[in-house]
Amino acid sequence: MAHSHLTEPSKVLEYQEKDLKGFDVHSAESVEEAPSQESEQVIRGAGDITNLIISDQDDPELPALTFRFWVLGIGLATFGSVLSEIYFWKPQNAMVSALFQLIISYILGNAMHYAMPSKGIWRHLNPGPFNIKEHTCITIMASTASVTANAIGIVATLDLFYDVTLSPGAAIFQTFASQLIGYGFAGLLRTLLVWPTYALFPNQLPSISLLQSMHFSGLLNRKKMKYFWFVFGAIFCWEIVPTWMFPLLTAFSVICLADNGRSPVIRNIFGAGGSNEGLGLLSFSFDWTLITQAYPLYWPLQTQVSAWVGLGFGYVLMGGCYYADVFQGYSRGLPFMSTALFTGNGSSYNQSAILGSNHQLDPELYAEVGPPFMTTTYAVSLLMSYASMGAAFSHILLWHWTELWGAFKGFNFLKSGQDFDDIHFQRMKVYKEVPQLWYGTLFIVSLGLAIGMAYVGINTLPWWSVLLFTVIAFILAVILGFIYAVTGFPLSTGGFVQVIAAYVHPHQPIQNMYAKLYGYNTGYQTFAMLSDLKLGQYAKVPPRATFVAQVSGTILGAIFNYILYKSIVDAHRTDLVNPIGTRIWSGWNSQEINSAAITWGALSAELYGPGKTYFQIPLGLLYGFLAPFLFYGMHRLFPRQQIWSYLNMPIILTYLGWLPFSVNGMWWPGFIIGLSTQWWVRTRKPRWYNKYNYLTSAALDGGSSIVYFILNFAVFGASGNAISFPTWWGNPDPSVISVDHCMATP
């Protein structure tokens, strides 16, 4: 029974297609009572999920781009972009949940419906009950704006570490360009990564489950909404406890409590309560805003198992490498965890001292100052990151060559009018599709804007380099987009692009950052766009309405990201450049951008060349590329041993290097919850799983996101003044000891 769901990836796709062929895509049977969710059938693949959990119900007459959409979409997009920029500068690495906006928009949308007149001319502004199509469009618009644009991260890094301040126009239009190029990619890849059944996008399952429960009538959905609001209210009240009153619960460790900050070894291995404190072995968080970062309720078990394998070996790898003095971090007295750069004696590295007035490496100054050093854990993490990139290419070629060839043979992905044996795709045929010309035009205009903005303010990249790295971004979007669509796991390829940029633009850190922007971030943006397009397909939103929502959210997000960045950096500059940061503010995201730019952009030959300290890091690409051949070869030799086709090497390698960042209290509770729900509940209680699993995820994410937002402005200082809860054993004085009692403050 335990192995009944382990299936070869290529066979998964085959089974999904067979399941769909037996489904009458034109059936008019009502799904309001959701009879499929009462089924005892165990969910085993994408085909089961799309048929048994996601309803194909649709009413083509429902409007999407309503007055309510524009009012709430603009309001929540503004709100989300502000909040995401605040989170960018927090040590917890939190994100604005799309479910957060989904819930708020549901409340406000219904309020507008009941408060506004609906007769006469008002019927154009209030065209009936708040419906699933406009609700989905609002969610897409708001969530699109609620991610800090990578271009703004680079602009902030220039401000903090290079004393370069771009004009508002230059910063915002650079952001427009880099984001919208990703839209062009997404449109071109719909035939491969949106319309087929295997493109499941597990991250959207909680959202569509909640949307359909909110808007489809019937006794079952009324029960589900009562359950949702109960869980939502419970987590809303509970989150105040670990996040403010009792922060020890964000990283509860018996070992740390027993040690009470006496041993640095205990802190490094078991600590998890503060920014860059430790690996968090056997540390348990009771804070859902942290636990949800392990995605235990909606990542497929196959994805989670690979992540657990990587994390398990990661504890051994990181601790072993540090104390074995790999990359000289231990002997030089560098911190155990940090993404900043240091001198050979452990002090912060002054990068300005090696750069000339043109922000390029000055060899004479570098000879005087000497090379920078990375912490051992950060260097090993980079090695694993490069390995995961290399593994992604060979993994896709070995396991999914058939699907790639089918999409690109004869440029099929550019052709319109294609058909797919997917129930939701079939339902969408009643709507006008967005022509490839729209996406192509958007791509050309955005690319032109990117080239033009490269010469505004400071010279970032020559025009040919923008073109080169845009092509690289498209190739990466195809390879990694496939992994993301099927598993829900987004692999990072930023380091791979910076390796290429180091050879194209040697000794130029700013150019390296912008090469990453157009060679990686535009492709990464494509993932989010594809995911939203899939949500639109699940909810039966007219494709052109989805297009409008996505583009509008991007424009608003760029503007308000910039405004908040200026406000936060001006107010907290000292904390943001500090390599460790504080419990409230941390510049670790920007520090990571800068560290990569200096080490690769300015000092690639000096640090990564043959015989240099970090020569092994770029070789991770080769090591990673070879790694999937081990699993594939074992699978071919022993086809009955399903473990070899079940494990995902790129995910394992990614999580081998995942621990040396920020706080780490979420992995052990995530393991317990993920194993319980995705294995035991799914196989033993399939009826409950089908009805409530993804709804539970939505309720927990929504309630915790809303209360965390309130606390940020009420007590954590986002509005200017922080209000600290009185210190006690469960909330110790940070000047004495960390919240988990694992790190004494010197």
Side-chain angles (χ1 to χ4, degrees):
M1 186 70 175
H3 297 288
S4 62
H5 59 281
L6 308 184
T7 310
E8 181 183 347
S10 59
K11 293 290 177 61
V12 168
L13 304 178
E14 177 184 334
Y15 295 158
Q16 291 165 0
E17 295 302 320
K18 288 181 178 178
D19 290 343
L20 287 171
K21 288 175 182 176
F23 198 97
D24 182 4
V25 298
H26 299 293
S27 171
E29 179 184 355
S30 172
V31 206
E32 291 184 353
E33 298 292 337
S36 62
Q37 292 188 0
E38 296 287 1
S39 171
E40 293 287 351
Q41 181 175 335
V42 176
I43 298 296
R44 301 192 186 282
D48 289 341
I49 290 175
T50 56
N51 287 341
L52 298 177
I53 292 181
I54 304 172
S55 170
D56 69 327
Q57 179 179 343
D58 184 33
D59 179 0
E61 300 301 319
L62 293 177
L65 301 182
T66 62
F67 174 74
R68 291 184 298 236
F69 157 74
W70 287 109
V71 172
L72 297 180
I74 291 173
L76 290 176
T78 302
F79 169 79
S81 62
V82 167
L83 186 57
S84 69
E85 188 64 31
I86 292 173
Y87 286 171
F88 183 82
W89 303 105
K90 292 289 185 179
Q92 291 86 359
N93 193 26
M95 297 182 295
V96 183
S97 169
L99 295 166
F100 169 77
Q101 289 118 333
L102 190 155
I103 295 164
I104 292 295
S105 59
Y106 178 73
I107 296 171
L108 296 178
N110 280 292
M112 289 185 69
H113 167 61
Y114 290 112
M116 293 174 59
S118 58
K119 296 181 179 180
I121 194 173
W122 288 98
R123 72 179 184 276
H124 300 292
L125 303 181
N126 189 18
F130 189 58
N131 70 72
I132 190 172
K133 296 184 189 296
E134 57 184 329
H135 192 182
T136 304
C137 286
I138 293 169
T139 302
I140 290 174
M141 182 175 177
S143 63
T144 299
S146 299
V147 178
T148 295
N150 292 291
I152 295 298
I154 291 175
V155 170
T157 301
L158 293 176
D159 190 350
L160 285 170
F161 298 102
Y162 296 82
D163 294 323
V164 173
T165 304
L166 296 183
S167 67
I172 291 172
F173 279 105
Q174 282 180 5
T175 306
F176 287 165
S178 62
Q179 301 279 86
L180 294 176
I181 288 174
Y183 284 102
F185 290 167
L188 296 176
L189 293 174
R190 287 172 295 174
T191 57
L192 177 67
L193 298 177
V194 176
W195 294 334
T197 300
Y198 64 73
L200 179 64
F201 286 95
N203 60 305
Q204 293 293 9
L205 298 180
S207 295
I208 189 60
S209 177
L210 180 55
L211 282 165
Q212 294 187 339
S213 296
M214 286 175 164
H215 292 280
F216 294 168
S217 61
L219 177 61
L220 173 60
N221 284 305
R222 287 196 293 271
K223 290 180 179 178
K224 289 169 68 177
M225 286 311 301
K226 288 182 180 179
Y227 171 83
F228 170 83
W229 289 116
F230 174 80
V231 176
F232 177 94
I235 197 66
F236 183 94
C237 296
W238 166 250
E239 278 297 308
I240 300 173
V241 177
T243 54
W244 187 50
M245 302 168 64
F246 197 173
L248 173 62
L249 295 179
T250 61
F252 186 86
S253 171
V254 174
I255 297 173
C256 285
L257 290 173
D259 180 72
N260 202 36
R262 289 186 291 269
S263 170
V265 176
I266 296 295
R267 175 200 66 204
N268 292 342
I269 304 302
F270 299 96
S275 178
N276 294 322
E277 182 178 323
L279 301 178
L281 179 63
L282 299 178
S283 179
F284 286 82
S285 176
F286 296 88
D287 178 0
W288 186 258
T289 60
L290 291 177
I291 297 171
T292 190
Q293 295 175 39
Y295 313 108
L297 289 175
Y298 67 81
W299 262 9
L301 183 63
Q302 183 176 5
T303 303
Q304 294 195 55
V305 168
S306 295
W308 298 336
V309 171
L311 287 170
F313 285 107
Y315 290 112
V316 178
L317 178 68
M318 294 301 167
C321 286
Y322 177 74
Y323 289 106
D325 202 28
V326 175
F327 296 124
Q328 305 175 26
Y330 181 72
S331 61
R332 293 185 178 277
L334 306 187
F336 180 66
M337 286 169 54
S338 177
T339 58
L341 297 177
F342 299 89
T343 63
N345 61 13
S347 59
S348 295
Y349 192 78
N350 181 12
Q351 67 185 51
S352 300
I354 65 170
L355 301 179
S357 58
N358 58 356
H359 303 291
Q360 297 183 15
L361 178 68
D362 187 316
E364 294 182 359
L365 294 176
Y366 176 73
E368 296 176 7
V369 175
F373 291 87
M374 292 180 273
T375 63
T376 293
T377 54
Y378 181 48
V380 174
S381 176
L382 288 178
L383 174 60
M384 292 300 104
S385 176
Y386 285 105
S388 70
M389 297 176 219
F393 284 90
S394 54
H395 176 86
I396 289 296
L397 293 175
L398 289 171
W399 294 103
H400 298 291
W401 171 253
T402 302
E403 292 77 32
L404 286 175
W405 178 248
F408 286 91
K409 180 178 61 177
F411 293 96
N412 286 334
F413 73 101
L414 293 176
K415 298 177 181 178
S416 58
Q418 298 187 57
D419 199 14
F420 294 87
D421 195 6
D422 177 86
I423 181 62
H424 305 287
F425 177 82
Q426 295 295 330
R427 290 288 196 229
M428 292 290 286
K429 286 184 174 181
V430 300
Y431 303 107
K432 288 184 178 180
E433 188 53 73
V434 178
Q436 293 287 40
L437 179 62
W438 287 22
Y439 284 107
T441 301
L442 182 64
F443 169 75
I444 295 299
V445 171
S446 302
L447 183 61
L449 182 61
I451 293 173
M453 297 310 301
Y455 297 93
V456 175
I458 58 171
N459 290 337
T460 57
L461 293 174
W463 65 268
W464 56 265
S465 185
V466 176
L467 293 176
L468 170 65
F469 285 99
T470 300
V471 171
I472 292 173
F474 180 76
I475 296 172
L476 294 176
V478 173
I479 299 295
L480 303 182
F482 198 101
I483 294 178
Y484 183 53
V486 173
T487 69
F489 185 79
L491 277 168
S492 172
T493 58
F496 172 71
V497 173
Q498 288 186 291
V499 172
I500 299 175
Y503 291 96
V504 177
H505 302 289
H507 297 163
Q508 300 184 67
I510 293 179
Q511 283 78 357
N512 194 276
M513 280 191 283
Y514 276 93
K516 180 181 178 182
L517 175 66
Y518 293 111
Y520 161 68
N521 297 124
T522 53
Y524 201 78
Q525 180 71 11
T526 304
F527 298 171
M529 300 303 102
L530 290 168
S531 181
D532 286 340
L533 289 173
K534 190 67 177 188
L535 178 62
Q537 178 171 302
Y538 284 149
K540 316 302 178 294
V541 175
R544 298 186 179 191
T546 303
F547 180 87
V548 170
Q550 287 181 309
V551 174
S552 302
T554 297
I555 293 173
L556 283 171
I559 295 171
F560 286 96
N561 275 175
Y562 176 82
I563 294 172
L564 260 291
Y565 129 71
K566 287 294 294 179
S567 174
I568 293 172
V569 168
D570 290 345
H572 303 284
R573 184 178 294 268
T574 302
D575 293 335
L576 302 180
V577 298
N578 186 315
I580 303 300
T582 69
R583 184 184 158 205
I584 304 299
W585 297 102
S586 175
W588 72 274
N589 278 305
S590 189
Q591 290 169 15
E592 186 179 7
I593 294 172
N594 178 59
S595 295
I598 291 296
T599 56
W600 275 112
L603 302 171
S604 57
E606 289 77 5
L607 297 181
Y608 300 109
K612 301 299 183 181
T613 304
Y614 302 109
F615 173 59
Q616 291 296 323
I617 290 179
L619 285 181
L621 288 166
L622 174 61
Y623 304 149
F625 183 84
L626 297 175
F629 286 90
L630 172 63
F631 285 178
Y632 188 75
M634 294 299 292
H635 168 72
R636 302 296 293 182
L637 289 173
F638 307 102
R640 293 174 180 257
Q641 297 180 3
Q642 297 176 339
I643 187 65
W644 306 115
S645 61
Y646 189 69
L647 293 175
N648 186 303
M649 184 61 80
I651 296 177
I652 292 174
L653 292 173
T654 297
Y655 274 93
L656 267 171
W658 198 266
L659 290 168
F661 299 92
S662 197
V663 295
N664 282 309
M666 69 286 283
W667 306 117
W668 288 90
F671 166 72
I672 293 173
I673 296 170
L675 186 63
S676 300
T677 57
Q678 296 299 328
W679 176 65
W680 192 84
V681 175
R682 182 178 60 83
T683 59
R684 303 299 194 274
K685 304 289 183 181
R687 180 178 296 179
W688 189 96
Y689 181 90
N690 296 352
K691 289 192 295 185
Y692 294 115
N693 178 71
Y694 297 109
L695 200 62
T696 302
S697 179
L700 292 172
D701 284 352
S704 59
S705 295
I706 290 175
V707 73
Y708 191 63
F709 167 78
I710 294 172
L711 290 173
N712 262 288
F713 282 89
V715 299
F716 291 152
S719 60
N721 297 314
I723 302 174
S724 300
F725 194 79
T727 57
W728 64 292
W729 177 76
N731 181 35
D733 185 346
S735 65
V736 177
I737 200 167
S738 61
V739 295
D740 59 351
H741 293 257
C742 220
M743 182 173 68
T745 305

